[in-house]
């Protein structure tokens, strides 16, 4: 009896958590399908009385959402891949070769997360201008990698430390070299960490606004967060219908990426369990 009650409470808590997470997305969908008259009503409703797709047509007609989404996708994917490529060997080195240098490096990683981002915007802009990377997607990618890398390094270091060193030693006893041991033993166990880091890097870059606002100046290179701002008028009044429709469409790529990555995450967990 107590077990059934505990299970029911867990499912109830899980349902409440799902509703909490889904509420903004459902409200966004409801707003995107409403007419201006319904949005101005004093008694808002969940289900639109007269659903319309005019807000989606206005959003695509007024702004280059497809182009902005493609540019954001390029930057986000590049940021995720470059971050993992740089963080993985560094995390392995910090986790396996402990010493004063490793402790100093980890301390610097933690300290770097304390500084407010606003303090480095002007120096960062001057460096990018000297390198002729202002107003380019390459410059924005470099900035995103720079600020995602410390936390990604910290994440992957924890995954590497969770892999027993004895597995590598056993592979060495069986005649495998270091690279062979890393590829055959350590890599499958690190797959969940790599997938989680890819997801973190992608989402961080996809949603980033402040650096894109400072670095990108021309509409031809704007990313999606900057394009969404254009639905707010000069008086600060937002056009809620097109803005909700565009924001709803902006969530689709991240959801698709998460759905794809989630499969890899589960397969990586199973592979790690088998290898362990």
């Amino acid at each position: 009896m107590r077990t059934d009650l505990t299970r029911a409470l867990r499912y109830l808590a899980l349902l409440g958590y799902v509703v909490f997470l889904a509420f903004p997305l459902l409200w966004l969908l409801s707003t995107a399908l409403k007419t201006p008259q319904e949005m101005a009503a004093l008694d808002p409703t969940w289900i639109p009385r007269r659903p319309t797709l005019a807000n989606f047509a206005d959003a695509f007609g007024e702004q280059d959402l497809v182009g902005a989404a493609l540019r954001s996708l390029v930057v986000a994917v590049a940021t995720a891949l470059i971050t993992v490529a740089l963080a993985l060997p560094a995390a392995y080195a910090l986790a396996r070769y402990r010493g004063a240098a490793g402790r100093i490096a980890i301390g610097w990683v933690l300290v770097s997360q304390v500084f407010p981002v606003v303090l480095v915007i002007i120096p960062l802009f001057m460096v990018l201008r000297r390198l002729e990377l202002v107003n380019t997607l390459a410059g924005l990618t470099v900035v995103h990698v720079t600020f995602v890398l410390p936390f990604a390094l910290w994440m992957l270091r924890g995954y590497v430390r969770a892999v027993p060193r004895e597995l590598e030693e056993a592979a060495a006893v069986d005649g495998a070299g270091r690279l062979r041991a890393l590829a055959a033993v350590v890599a499958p166990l690190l797959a969940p960490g790599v997938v989680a880091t890819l997801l973190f890097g992608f989402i961080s870059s996809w949603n980033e606004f402040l650096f894109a606002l400072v670095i990108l100046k021309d509409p031809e290179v704007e990313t999606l967060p900057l394009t969404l701002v254009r639905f707010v008028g000069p008086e600060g009044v937002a056009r809620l219908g097109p803005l909700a429709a565009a924001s709803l469409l902006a969530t689709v790529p991240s959801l698709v990426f998460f759905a794809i990555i989630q499969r890899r995450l589960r397969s990586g967990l199973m592979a790690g369990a088998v290898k362990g």
Side-chain angles (χ1 to χ4, degrees):
M1 182 65 181
R2 180 176 299 179
T3 303
D4 295 338
L5 179 60
T6 303
R7 185 179 304 170
L9 291 176
R10 288 178 180 176
Y11 282 117
L12 183 62
L14 181 61
L15 178 61
Y17 184 65
V18 171
V19 171
F20 174 77
L21 293 179
F23 174 78
L25 190 61
L26 294 177
W27 188 261
L28 201 63
L29 176 62
S30 176
T31 304
L33 296 176
K34 288 182 179 179
T35 61
Q37 292 76 17
E38 285 190 73
M39 284 184 284
L42 298 178
D43 52 342
T45 58
W46 270 98
I47 302 176
R49 298 185 179 92
R50 296 180 180 178
T52 177
L53 297 178
N55 293 321
F56 291 91
D58 293 341
F60 279 102
E62 296 177 10
Q63 304 296 335
D64 183 19
L65 293 179
V66 176
L70 290 176
R71 290 188 289 270
S72 290
L73 185 63
V74 169
V75 174
V77 171
T79 298
L81 294 177
I82 296 174
T83 299
V84 170
L86 295 176
L88 188 56
Y92 180 84
L94 291 176
R96 287 293 186 256
Y97 304 103
R98 302 177 184 177
R103 290 192 293 269
I104 293 174
I106 291 299
W108 176 248
V109 168
L110 295 177
V111 170
S112 67
Q113 301 301 297
V114 178
F115 290 100
V117 176
V118 180
L119 295 180
V120 300
I121 287 183
I122 295 179
L124 184 63
F125 181 83
M126 295 176 64
V127 170
L128 292 177
R129 185 176 61 180
R130 181 67 62 89
L131 297 175
E132 298 183 356
L133 290 177
V134 175
N135 203 33
T136 63
L137 297 182
L140 183 62
T141 302
V142 171
V143 174
H144 286 180
V145 170
T146 302
F147 282 87
V148 173
L149 185 59
F151 191 78
L153 177 60
W154 182 262
M155 287 176 58
L156 285 175
R157 176 177 174 266
Y159 279 97
V160 174
R161 293 186 65 180
V163 177
R165 190 189 296 265
E166 290 76 10
L167 294 178
E168 298 180 53
E169 296 175 353
V173 171
D174 292 337
R178 177 169 293 275
L179 294 179
R180 177 69 180 277
L182 292 177
V185 178
V186 179
L189 298 175
L190 291 180
V194 172
V195 171
T197 307
L198 284 172
L199 181 61
F200 171 75
F202 181 89
I203 297 299
S204 299
S205 177
W206 180 266
N207 294 330
E208 200 280 320
F209 173 78
L210 184 59
F211 289 121
L213 179 65
V214 175
I215 296 173
L216 304 179
K217 300 300 180 182
D218 295 335
E220 292 77 11
V221 295
E222 283 185 351
T223 53
L224 195 55
L226 297 181
T227 304
L228 295 179
V229 178
R230 295 185 176 274
F231 291 102
V232 180
E235 297 83 9
V237 180
R239 300 185 57 207
L240 293 180
L243 178 59
S247 301
L248 185 64
L249 295 173
T251 63
V252 173
S254 57
L255 293 177
V256 172
F257 185 81
F258 178 77
I260 297 174
I261 287 294
Q262 187 182 27
R263 295 182 181 179
R264 303 297 181 185
L265 181 61
R266 284 187 295 180
S267 61
L269 286 171
M270 295 177 64
V274 173
K275 291 292 182 180

